[in-house]
Amino acid sequence: MINSLTSYIHFFASSFSDPQKRKLVLNEFKRANKLPNEDQVFDRKKGIDQAIDWLLSSQKAMKTSKGIGSYHLITGWTSPYPETTGYLIPTLIDYGIKYNHNESIQAAIEAADWLITIQKQSGGWQGMRVDDQKPEVIFNTAQVVRGLARAYQYTGDKKYIEPIKKACDWLCDNQYHRGYWEQFAYPAPIRAFDTYVDVPLLMAYEIIGDERYKRTANMNLNWVIYRQQNEKSGWFQQCDNTNHDNRPCIHPIAYTIDGLIDGGAYFGYEKYIEAAKKAADMLLTQFHKDKYLHNRYNKNWNGTGYLNTAGCAQMAIVWMKFYQFTEEVHYLNAAKQINNWLLFIQDRKEFNLPETKGALSGSFPLWGRYEKFAFPNWAVKFFIDSIMLEQECTMEKAEQALDKKEKLSA
């Protein structure tokens, strides 16, 4: 508590000592309780264009590598995160293909090539930022695999295959027979959100064909739904990334749900989809009730804390995936409202710094507990993914309406 208070005093004092940063923080005070209502609509394309520009700027700010870091209002740019650089690769490639933006594709390939150079002898990739020099971590390694697999899918370059194989062999070797990871898990001992490890293993299976990758993913998904999830409420045990397991953060909760959705879609197993839906629907109920998404949720799905931008974008993605499964429009409407909030948060108008234009603060307002005073690159990643998925869903909805109209007039 004392350390937290000390850091807040330091961050506020430091930001107010700089005229530009002071304006940004004062503007946050003015708009902290002014999230837009359903009638306010923001320019989606402008938002993701600026977000991509910020990611490219972040990569350039790394100087000695092609990884991607984050920006802190007080301490500046971090060194690159291997984990988040990994899962930013599909975002950059998908945006580049959709909008014929070669620079984002080139940035993704350069990031993938850099990640190969820092793979550990074991096959894993380190946790946290490069400068932290941490040991390898299961979750982080899988997100690098996610990126390398997408780079391979796009380029067909076989140089990615051996690093993917080495990493996935390491992931399989370290899984316990019950289906979870304990050694090299972060934070220890075991984590439900490692469902987000499973899709990278399945992506690797499609490239390499090793059945062990598929078995390992399936075992973990089974372990989560049978051992970690409350059958009635859908809440997950051991699902936080900071060991607050009695009230996990929405960011890893959303990882867990998303991994179950994609794993269920891959295997064709309804049990995974239903497990994901149970948790997603509980959060949707709370969203409608509170007209807000909190940072943390306890076992009764009661929320606390300021809005977490990454977690919000992830839940919007989850709800849109259920819209695509069910065509139930309330999922899409909730996601669109979340995306409106995120576009509003991103749009700091003239109060931006060059280092923050296009980025999202980790919390809103930016002094919230999650990534306080920081602009994490993963929040930008999920924001872009969510906006692009909304565009896809909106197009699908329009096509369905047109088909219906044509059938009625036939």
Side-chain angles (χ1 to χ4, degrees), residues 277 319 321-331:
K277 188 174 183 295
W319 290 332
K321 287 181 179 181
F322 279 114
Y323 167 74
Q324 290 179 316
F325 287 148
T326 66
E327 295 183 13
E328 293 177 18
V329 75
H330 66 283
Y331 287 118

Side-chain angles (χ1 to χ4, degrees), residues 19 42 53 58 67 96 104 133 185 220-221 285 287 289 324 387 402:
F42 294 82
D53 287 344
S58 173
S104 64
Q133 298 185 337
N220 179 248
L221 293 164
T285 298
F287 169 69
K289 175 175 164 254
Q324 290 179 316
I387 297 293
L402 183 61

Side-chain angles (χ1 to χ4, degrees), residues 4-285:
S4 179
L5 180 60
T6 301
S7 70
Y8 271 109
I9 292 170
H10 170 62
F11 290 161
F12 273 112
S14 297
S15 63
F16 273 78
S17 67
D18 179 287
Q20 280 187 295
K21 294 175 182 177
R22 182 169 63 248
K23 287 179 183 177
L24 188 152
V25 174
L26 288 173
N27 185 53
E28 285 288 282
F29 277 105
K30 290 178 184 177
R31 66 193 196 122
N33 297 311
K34 296 181 180 178
L35 285 170
N37 59 38
E38 295 177 6
D39 298 327
Q40 294 175 267
V41 179
F42 294 82
D43 188 332
R44 267 64 178 152
K45 180 61 165 54
K46 178 183 175 184
I48 58 173
D49 286 350
Q50 290 185 350
I52 287 288
D53 287 344
W54 183 84
L55 288 175
L56 298 178
S57 296
S58 173
Q59 189 180 46
K60 289 170 185 172
M62 296 302 101
K63 306 296 185 186
T64 59
S65 81
K66 292 297 182 179
I68 300 172
S70 296
Y71 183 76
H72 194 283
L73 193 62
I74 310 307
T75 58
W77 289 106
T78 69
S79 61
Y81 287 74
E83 168 209 348
T84 60
T85 297
Y87 67 28
L88 275 160
I89 290 168
T91 300
L92 289 164
I93 290 175
D94 291 347
Y95 174 90
I97 292 170
K98 182 178 176 67
Y99 293 109
N100 194 28
H101 193 264
N102 292 329
E103 189 180 356
S104 64
I105 294 173
Q106 183 60 33
I109 302 308
E110 289 176 350
D113 292 349
W114 169 73
L115 286 165
I116 291 173
T117 69
I118 62 165
Q119 186 174 25
K120 290 185 176 288
Q121 189 62 37
S122 64
W125 274 271
Q126 71 165 79
M128 300 300 289
R129 300 165 290 258
V130 164
D131 286 356
D132 296 323
Q133 298 185 337
K134 296 287 186 179
E136 49 269 71
V137 175
I138 295 293
F139 185 91
N140 302 49
T141 296
Q143 306 324 310
V144 176
V145 170
R146 190 185 292 267
L148 296 187
R150 187 69 182 93
Y152 172 75
Q153 290 167 351
Y154 179 77
T155 65
D157 195 325
K158 294 183 178 179
K159 69 184 175 185
Y160 299 115
I161 293 178
E162 186 55 34
I164 291 170
K165 182 180 185 305
K166 190 175 179 181
C168 290
D169 288 349
W170 179 77
L171 291 171
C172 294
D173 289 344
N174 282 289
Q175 188 186 50
Y176 279 65
H177 68 279
R178 291 184 178 177
Y180 59 83
W181 286 275
E182 185 170 2
Q183 189 177 13
F184 303 109
Y186 179 85
I190 52 180
R191 299 290 104 189
F193 61 79
D194 281 340
T195 58
Y196 211 65
V197 170
D198 299 324
V199 168
L201 281 165
L202 296 172
M203 293 171 75
Y205 168 75
E206 292 297 320
I207 294 167
I208 296 168
D210 190 328
E211 289 286 338
R212 194 164 64 130
Y213 303 165
K214 196 158 66 168
R215 287 198 304 271
T216 298
N218 196 28
M219 284 173 62
N220 179 248
L221 293 164
N222 272 320
W223 173 74
V224 169
I225 66 169
Y226 293 127
R227 298 284 184 176
Q228 297 303 106
Q229 188 176 35
N230 183 294
E231 187 177 354
K232 185 176 180 181
S233 72
W235 191 77
F236 300 101
Q237 301 178 69
Q238 294 173 298
C239 191
D240 191 50
N241 56 356
T242 58
N243 279 327
H244 289 86
D245 287 330
N246 62 331
R247 49 187 185 94
C249 173
I250 194 171
H251 175 47
I253 292 173
Y255 276 145
T256 309
I257 298 170
D258 197 271
L260 287 167
I261 294 172
D262 288 350
Y266 182 89
F267 286 110
Y269 292 165
E270 284 294 322
K271 61 183 179 180
Y272 299 148
I273 304 289
E274 285 304 312
K277 188 174 183 295
K278 200 176 292 183
D281 284 354
M282 291 300 291
L283 281 168
L284 185 59
T285 298

Side-chain angles (χ1 to χ4, degrees), residues 291-311:
K291 297 186 175 9
Y292 196 75
L293 274 182
H294 291 278
N295 181 37
R296 294 187 175 277
Y297 285 88
N298 67 15
K299 65 181 180 181
N300 298 314
W301 294 106
N302 294 320
T304 56
Y306 285 123
L307 183 150
N308 174 323
T309 58

